[in-house]
């Protein structure tokens, strides 16, 4: 069957595809070490589950307003003010089915055919494809590990054209775990100030910071840019709620109305039950987040040290999120079962097939020569992954 032309540029989500494959292998009885998707192994906090149970019990199971219940939109405004120092009115907030839908709706509402969106590489796999789905053109600006993945302001300025409609910022970042400093955010703000484009900040990993420094949004360091800032966030990572599908965006009224329109004619409201759970999550205690982050920090230290102890693997210590991005370039060109490993795709394939470790190749993140492993799994599983990685490297000729 002939499908729409715009799908020709779209690839399946590499993270979700590998995760599904690893889980299917596990279901077939294989002892797979799944370091694929960024999905916390913790359970959703009990008080959040209770709010959903209460929603079911009281029959809160009908459509809500497309943009979310008034109480949840207000709670999001309070969260944005309290945690992020950003002031929004409830009409400037839209509740979505996951952080993914916020970003998707934004690009659908914003872009015309051929409009450009600047994305820094390495990037989360879905940004370029979401831009393509909206008819836009992603403009990839590389960043360097040596610079802590901070973008070069001169490279941003070079990438800006009259067709640039938006620039995506993601700090803490997926897949690198890099966190932008105040100076980096100021430099980005200076680079875009003279150009009328939207700043989309994907703050999904806001709570997952290991530096001891508070989280910073570019709106905090450059308040003059607030009128063209879209903040996207969600509860998937902070509250271990990936399956509930709850995200939100806050920004300029016209854009939020446009995003609401897209949602009105596609999915309507995020689940009513999930919205009640989200209200509890955003207004309830935060100690579960603190204990999750403390545990992730320990796992990060253990896992990254273990990776760096394997000859041929090198891994920068991520300051946030929950991914280890390991440089495996020293292993490429070596032979495995008599055949040279050409790239990180082949390396990941061999690792999964023969050593039962699911790690995402860097290529779909715009980071060839790297593999991404999430460390949101138990220390035992991480240790097992390290042992298998070591065996794999030892098997290379
Ligand atoms: N942004 C980033 C950077 C992500 O890694 C993800 C994946 N969870 C999302 C947004 C979307 O999250 P979700 O749709 O699961 O809320
Ligand atoms: N964002 C997570 C990841 O990068 C979950 C999967 C996805 O939505 O991409 O693994």
């Amino acid at each position: 069957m002939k499908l729409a032309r715009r799908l020709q540029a779209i690839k399946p989500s590499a993270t979700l595809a590998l995760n599904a494959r690893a889980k299917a292998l596990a279901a077939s009885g294989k002892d797979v070490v799944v370091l694929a998707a960024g999905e916390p192994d913790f359970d959703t906090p009990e008080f959040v589950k209770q709010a959903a149970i209460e929603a079911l019990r009281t029959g809160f199971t009908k459509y809500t307003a497309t943009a979310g219940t008034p109480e949840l939109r207000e709670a999001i405004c309070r969260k944005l003010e309290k945690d992020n120092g950003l002031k929004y009115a409830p009409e400037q907030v839209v509740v979505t089915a996951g952080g993914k839908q916020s970003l998707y709706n934004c690009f659908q509402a914003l872009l015309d055919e051929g409009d450009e969106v600047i994305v820094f590489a390495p990037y989360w796999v879905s940004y370029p494809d979401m831009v393509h789905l909206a008819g836009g053109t992603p403009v990839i600006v590389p960043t360097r590990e040596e610079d802590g993945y901070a973008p070069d302001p001169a490279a941003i300025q070079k990438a800006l054209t009259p067709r640039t409609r938006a620039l995506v910022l993601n700090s803490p970042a997926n897949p690198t775990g890099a966190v932008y400093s105040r100076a980096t955010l100021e430099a980005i703000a200076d680079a875009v100030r003279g150009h009328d484009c939207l700043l989309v900040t994907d703050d999904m990993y806001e709570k997952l910071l290991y530096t001891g420094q508070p989280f910073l949004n570019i709106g905090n360091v450059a308040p003059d840019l607030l009128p063209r800032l879209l903040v996207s966030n969600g509860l998937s990572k902070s509250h271990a709620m990936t399956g509930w599908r709850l995200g939100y965006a806050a920004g300029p009224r016209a854009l939020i109305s446009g995003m609401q329109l897209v949602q009105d004619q596609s999915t309507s409201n995020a689940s009513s039950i999930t919205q009640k759970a989200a209200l509890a999550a955003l207004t309830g205690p935060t100690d579960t987040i603190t204990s999750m982050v403390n545990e992730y920090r320990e796992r990060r230290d253990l896992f990254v040290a273990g990776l760096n102890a394997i000859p041929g693997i090198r891994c920068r210590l991520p300051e946030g999120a929950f991914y280890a991005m390991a440089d495996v370039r020293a292993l490429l060109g070596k032979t495995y079962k008599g055949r040279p490993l050409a790239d990180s795709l082949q390396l990941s394939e061999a690792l999964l097939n023969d050593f039962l470790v699911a790690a995402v190749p860097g290529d779909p993140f715009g980071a060839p020569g790297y593999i991404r492993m999430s460390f949101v799994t138990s220390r035992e599983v991480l240790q097992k992954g390290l042992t298998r990685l070591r065996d794999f490297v030892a098997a290379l000729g």
Side-chain angles (χ1 to χ4, degrees):
M1 185 191 293
K2 185 186 165 301
L3 297 181
R5 205 174 314 125
R6 68 180 177 284
L7 284 191
Q8 285 166 8
I10 311 298
K11 303 169 295 302
S13 162
T15 47
L16 293 182
L18 191 74
N19 208 46
R21 225 177 112 199
K23 282 187 174 169
L25 272 174
S28 74
K30 295 258 173 22
D31 175 25
V32 193
V33 170
V34 186
L35 310 175
E39 178 159 53
D41 60 331
F42 285 100
D43 199 1
T44 304
E46 191 53 36
F47 73 95
V48 177
K49 289 189 187 175
Q50 284 305 327
I53 292 168
E54 189 58 18
L56 284 169
R57 256 204 211 106
T58 55
F60 195 75
T61 53
K62 311 281 191 227
Y63 293 132
T64 72
T66 292
T69 62
E71 54 175 2
L72 181 55
R73 290 167 91 189
E74 274 161 28
I76 290 167
C77 291
R78 285 198 299 278
K79 182 263 172 224
L80 289 169
E81 183 162 7
K82 185 166 142 275
D83 293 2
N84 310 120
L86 300 172
K87 260 188 170 275
Y88 288 101
E91 313 79 70
Q92 292 180 278
V93 171
V94 58
V95 177
T96 57
K100 231 170 189 169
Q101 194 189 13
S102 295
L103 297 161
Y104 178 85
N105 286 356
C106 165
F107 296 133
Q108 291 293 327
L110 189 74
L111 301 179
D112 278 321
E113 205 67 34
D115 281 348
E116 293 169 2
V117 177
I118 294 179
V119 173
F120 300 119
Y123 43 77
W124 176 40
V125 290
S126 292
Y127 298 142
D129 288 287
M130 285 188 187
V131 171
H132 278 305
L133 271 172
T137 306
V139 175
I140 308 299
V141 173
T143 62
R144 303 185 325 159
E145 186 183 337
E146 305 87 277
D147 302 331
Y149 295 109
D152 171 12
I156 298 177
Q157 268 167 344
K158 224 171 122 201
L160 288 165
T161 76
R163 296 228 62 173
T164 309
R165 298 299 315 282
L167 178 138
V168 181
L169 297 179
N170 175 220
S171 166
N174 177 1
T176 61
V179 173
Y180 292 160
S181 66
R182 177 177 285 274
T184 297
L185 291 171
E186 279 167 356
I188 297 170
D190 288 345
V192 300
R193 196 164 267 120
H195 193 98
D196 183 20
C197 64
L198 185 76
L199 293 170
V200 178
T201 72
D202 179 356
D203 297 349
M204 185 55 78
Y205 296 93
E206 169 200 355
K207 301 288 178 200
L208 302 166
L209 259 178
Y210 311 114
T211 55
Q213 301 291 317
F215 170 76
L216 272 182
N217 180 287
I218 196 165
N220 304 129
V221 306
D224 59 307
L225 300 181
L226 285 173
R228 51 181 166 117
L229 177 72
L230 183 86
V231 179
S232 176
N233 206 331
L235 301 184
S236 298
K237 317 289 168 168
S238 59
H239 291 77
M241 289 178 71
T242 45
W244 296 72
R245 312 309 302 134
L246 198 289
Y248 56 88
R253 282 167 205 269
L255 178 61
I256 294 294
S257 301
M259 289 168 62
Q260 195 176 324
L261 201 57
V262 172
Q263 193 163 313
D264 222 41
Q265 297 293 20
S266 51
T267 60
S268 302
N269 59 279
S271 149
S272 58
I273 302 150
T274 294
Q275 288 190 61
K276 282 286 189 194
L279 181 68
L282 288 174
T283 55
T286 54
D287 51 334
T288 45
I289 301 180
T290 312
S291 51
M292 279 194 251
V293 172
N294 288 338
E295 174 62 19
Y296 293 158
R297 185 187 290 105
E298 305 234 335
R299 292 179 187 178
R300 173 198 69 160
D301 293 347
L302 173 157
F303 191 58
V304 172
L307 287 173
N308 281 316
I310 300 174
I313 298 186
R314 204 181 47 77
C315 186
R316 177 181 177 273
L317 191 70
E319 301 105 54
F322 39 52
Y323 306 105
M325 266 280 280
D327 180 350
V328 292
R329 283 175 294 184
L331 302 179
L332 301 182
K334 291 190 181 252
T335 52
Y336 178 64
K337 288 187 172 167
R339 299 238 306 270
L341 287 175
D343 52 28
S344 61
L345 296 161
Q346 286 185 5
L347 187 148
S348 298
E349 199 60 29
L351 199 54
L352 180 59
N353 289 341
D354 293 354
F355 291 81
L356 297 177
V357 175
V360 194
D363 302 68
F365 299 97
Y370 286 74
I371 54 173
R372 189 199 80 170
M373 288 158 285
S374 64
F375 50 80
V376 274
T377 186
S378 72
R379 297 178 201 206
E380 295 71 42
V381 172
L382 290 175
Q383 284 293 6
K384 198 191 277 186
L386 288 169
T387 305
R388 291 183 187 179
L389 268 164
R390 187 176 275 280
D391 292 346
F392 169 67
V393 171
L396 299 179

